[in-house]
Amino acid sequence: AIQMTQSPSSLSASVGDRVTVTCRASQGIGNELAWYQQKPGKAPKLLIYDASTLQSGVPSRFSGSGSGTDFTLTISSLQPEDFATYYCLQDYNYPRTFGQGTNVEIK
Amino acid sequence: EVQLVESGGGLEQPGGSLRLSCAASGFTFSSYEMSWVRQAPGKGLGWVSSISSSGTTIYYADSVKGRFTISRDNAKNSLHLQMNSLRAEDTAIYYCARTRVANDAFDIWGQGTLVTVSS
């Protein structure tokens, strides 16, 4: 199974900060990577698919980049509603595997 | 409105069985691959199983293979997960999720149903 290693596991940031989360795959997955946001008690929400394509309705401050084994989720200017846990998912093959999550907290 | 609604969760003893269901609405259910994803309390997301739009291709996580069975009824717009030989480590919120296009990311998620395995 492809292992997805996400970093950091948590971070503290202020409103307006630029935030970057990374995800590394244990083998090449092309651009077959998605990013999700999850708030407490809620289902995950798709932010980005195919590594860099913004899901409809997602604010443009979210962006994704990377291919092969190294991927990045960037929030250009953190907003109060962005404090949440973020997960990456590889959809290159089965079994599907998620990163362990990054908790973005208020500084 | 595109919607997925899970049901069937609850408290079950180790070794017992539960059947989860997911009712789909607002889209052509028979055209989409569907999946189950779970989240243990305070933990991250874990993929459980996926089924193709026709039901002919199925995948399982190793941790549930031989114990869980995914199925779908395209006439009734419903997805199911039969869970047998339940273990304490199966305790989690179970989400059903739609695959955006074939072999791609999960784009629509239900609200989840809690399964607790405990004596």
Side-chain angles (χ1 to χ4, degrees), chain A residues 44-87:
Chain A
K45 173 187 174 183
L46 177 64
L47 299 176
I48 288 168
Y49 61 91
D50 292 345
S52 60
T53 304
L54 202 63
Q55 172 72 343
S56 175
V58 174
S60 59
R61 63 180 179 272
F62 291 92
S63 63
S65 64
S67 67
T69 60
D70 294 312
F71 301 86
T72 299
L73 170 71
T74 300
I75 309 172
S76 60
S77 177
L78 198 66
Q79 297 302 299
E81 60 269 30
D82 300 337
F83 292 96
T85 301
Y86 294 84
Y87 295 93

Side-chain angles (χ1 to χ4, degrees), chain A residues 36 38 43 49-50 94 96, chain B residues 33 39 100 103-104 106 110:
Chain A
Y36 293 86
Q38 188 179 32
Y49 61 91
D50 292 345
Y94 288 95
R96 297 286 196 248
Chain B
E33 176 182 312
Q39 186 169 35
R100 195 184 67 86
N103 210 33
D104 204 274
F106 310 131

Side-chain angles (χ1 to χ4, degrees), chain B residues 11-109:
Chain B
L11 174 63
E12 184 56 65
Q13 293 186 341
S17 298
L18 279 174
R19 179 176 168 86
L20 306 184
S21 296
C22 173
S25 59
F27 65 99
T28 305
F29 180 73
S30 60
S31 296
Y32 289 87
E33 176 182 312
M34 298 294 296
S35 299
W36 290 96
V37 176
R38 67 184 179 183
Q39 186 169 35
K43 302 298 184 182
L45 300 169
W47 170 79
V48 174
S49 181
S50 295
I51 185 168
S52 63
S53 57
S54 64
T56 55
T57 302
I58 288 173
Y59 301 95
Y60 294 104
D62 285 347
S63 58
V64 306
K65 200 173 296 182
R67 300 188 299 122
F68 290 9
T69 302
I70 192 172
S71 63
R72 65 189 297 159
D73 185 338
N74 285 344
K76 295 183 177 180
N77 294 338
S78 60
L79 176 72
H80 304 283
L81 186 68
Q82 178 66 42
M83 310 165 66
N84 298 332
S85 302
L86 283 164
R87 305 168 180 167
E89 55 264 35
D90 295 320
T91 294
I93 296 171
Y94 284 74
Y95 296 99
C96 71
R98 187 184 82 169
T99 298
R100 195 184 67 86
V101 296
N103 210 33
D104 204 274
F106 310 131
D107 65 341
I108 303 296
W109 296 63

Side-chain angles (χ1 to χ4, degrees), chain A:
Chain A
I2 298 173
Q3 186 172 357
M4 305 302 294
T5 303
Q6 207 174 317
S7 62
S9 56
S10 66
L11 65 89
S12 295
S14 300
V15 172
D17 284 353
R18 182 182 181 88
V19 168
T20 298
V21 179
T22 64
C23 198
R24 174 166 288 176
S26 60
Q27 67 181 72
I29 59 170
N31 70 338
E32 304 296 336
L33 185 106
W35 289 99
Y36 293 86
Q37 176 193 68
Q38 188 179 32
K39 296 182 179 180
K42 300 294 186 181
K45 173 187 174 183
L46 177 64
L47 299 176
I48 288 168
Y49 61 91
D50 292 345
S52 60
T53 304
L54 202 63
Q55 172 72 343
S56 175
V58 174
S60 59
R61 63 180 179 272
F62 291 92
S63 63
S65 64
S67 67
T69 60
D70 294 312
F71 301 86
T72 299
L73 170 71
T74 300
I75 309 172
S76 60
S77 177
L78 198 66
Q79 297 302 299
E81 60 269 30
D82 300 337
F83 292 96
T85 301
Y86 294 84
Y87 295 93
C88 61
L89 164 72
Q90 67 81 14
D91 53 62
Y92 178 78
N93 68 4
Y94 288 95
R96 297 286 196 248
T97 44
F98 290 89
Q100 72 271 33
T102 295
N103 186 26
V104 177
E105 301 173 320
I106 302 173
K107 182 183 272 185

